[in-house]
Amino acid sequence: MRKVISVALPKGGVGKTTTAVNLAASLAVAEKRVLLIDADPSGTCAIYLGIDPEKTPGSLHEVLSFTKRISQVVSKTQIDNLDFIPAGEPSYQNEDRVARLTGNLNLFSNMLHHELGEYDYIIIDCPPYLKGFTTIALIASTSVIVPMRAGQFSLNALKRMVEHIKWVRANYNQILKIEGILLTMYEANTKVWTMTRADLEKDLGPFLFKTSIPRSSALTVSEFHGKPAVLYDAKSKGSAAYMSLAMEVLEKDMGITRPVSINSNQ
Ligand code: ATP
Ligand code: MG
């Protein structure tokens, strides 16, 4: 296995799931072997992929409950090189239940690294909070992509995210890096984006992906069709942007561009 990338920010509606699904699909279209794991109990990745979780061999919920092994719950998708593990059991949004399932912080990481060696990339979609699923995903990851919308609330969430990444690095997973900060629903030349970008570039400029994801209706409409945008409308600007993001990730891994250290500029 080459890389495990979590997509995370403790704020709702910033494009985490859209990014996880479309990046995973774009890497698969680029002929990489990819596994997408839905670690958000709300289970939206399955909708984007047009998969009925009831008809899959199992879910992350069953794995963390020790009912099934992680290698037994992998499903095929409409894309040849893309496999999927659904979240399962939406009732486990209940806080006590989440705390029980994610209490052993290293369990998920151990399962992932011992049983799922055949993938080039594992992409994990995280929920909009840090405790529980995001923490176990970060402990299992080699890097994290942080999607950002414009605005002060997203900037505040990003600061909390960076602190959390540092905490995970210091205590559980020294190799965790920031893969990049991704601007989503981006609209150039708007006042709010100009202000958001200026704030980001002050402290975290080196972490910004060159690619940003423009506001694109194809990304939302594709959800209704149960298809990642690269399948629904490969020519849309949203699909093209996610393909460009996949290329940026691949180039970084081929050493064409150098990754930035988490401790630089902070
Ligand atoms: P949550 O924290 O609730 O899981 P999220 O961060 O995963 O949210 P998404 O579900 O990916 O966010 O996106 C929220 C909404 O914004 C969705 O309806 C999605 O279709 C839409 N959206 C995401 N990215 C874009 C974009 N670039 N252009 C237009 N709409 C977008
Ligand atoms: Mg989501």
Side-chain angles (χ1 to χ4, degrees):
M1 187 195 309
R2 270 175 61 190
K3 258 187 133 171
V4 181
I5 305 177
S6 281
V7 181
L9 184 79
K11 183 179 183 324
V14 294
K16 292 183 292 297
T17 304
T18 307
T19 298
V21 171
N22 285 290
L23 173 63
S26 301
L27 289 168
V29 166
E31 300 192 340
K32 297 295 170 190
R33 290 274 302 133
V34 186
L35 173 68
L36 173 68
I37 301 179
D38 192 350
D40 181 352
S42 63
T44 29
C45 283
I47 301 170
Y48 279 77
L49 290 172
I51 287 177
D52 178 353
E54 300 280 307
K55 295 187 179 147
T56 60
S59 64
L60 184 61
H61 174 262
E62 287 167 287
V63 172
L64 295 173
S65 314
F66 299 104
T67 316
K68 288 184 180 159
R69 296 177 70 90
I70 198 160
S71 52
Q72 294 175 314
V73 299
V74 175
S75 292
K76 296 277 163 219
T77 70
Q78 309 165 62
I79 299 177
D80 272 351
N81 291 326
L82 177 62
D83 291 348
F84 175 55
I85 296 180
E89 196 59 42
S91 65
Y92 76 102
Q93 287 182 53
N94 168 302
E95 269 191 34
D96 291 342
R97 186 106 180 86
V98 169
R100 267 198 304 270
L101 285 172
T102 59
N104 179 343
L105 292 176
N106 289 303
L107 178 69
F108 177 57
S109 179
N110 291 339
M111 289 169 163
L112 211 65
H113 292 279
H114 284 124
E115 288 193 46
L116 298 172
E118 74 268 34
Y119 295 100
D120 297 315
Y121 288 91
I122 296 181
I123 309 290
I124 307 174
D125 182 30
C126 295
Y129 44 83
L130 292 173
K131 275 192 183 162
F133 287 98
T134 300
T135 300
I136 62 166
L138 292 179
I139 291 172
S141 294
T142 49
S143 64
V144 50
I145 289 179
V146 187
M148 278 276 306
R149 283 180 75 147
Q152 190 60 51
F153 293 158
S154 290
L155 287 165
N156 292 347
L158 175 62
K159 288 191 179 106
R160 287 200 288 134
M161 187 76 229
V162 170
E163 286 311 308
H164 195 62
I165 293 169
K166 286 182 178 169
W167 176 80
V168 170
R169 253 178 79 99
N171 293 287
Y172 296 97
N173 178 9
Q174 290 177 3
I175 63 165
L176 183 66
K177 287 194 167 61
I178 297 180
E179 188 73 34
I181 297 168
L182 179 68
L183 308 184
T184 62
M185 301 175 230
Y186 184 65
E187 291 168 298
N189 304 323
T190 57
K191 195 168 180 184
V192 66
W193 265 119
T194 307
M195 289 167 79
T196 305
R197 257 202 114 113
D199 195 306
L200 278 171
E201 275 164 7
K202 247 187 349 218
D203 296 328
L204 295 163
F207 293 102
L208 282 177
F209 278 112
K210 285 195 252 54
T211 307
S212 51
I213 310 298
R215 194 170 276 286
S216 160
S217 60
L219 293 170
T220 309
V221 175
S222 64
E223 283 165 44
F224 287 93
H225 295 272
K227 286 185 176 170
V230 281
L231 283 194
Y232 167 70
D233 183 358
K235 292 203 178 86
S236 68
K237 58 183 183 174
S239 307
Y242 276 112
M243 192 48 88
S244 158
L245 176 69
M247 291 306 140
E248 209 178 322
V249 169
L250 289 171
E251 279 175 12
K252 210 185 270 186
D253 292 342
M254 288 186 295
I256 297 170
T257 51
R258 271 167 45 77
V260 212
S261 155
I262 193 176
N263 294 317
S264 67
N265 282 292
Q266 282 172 49

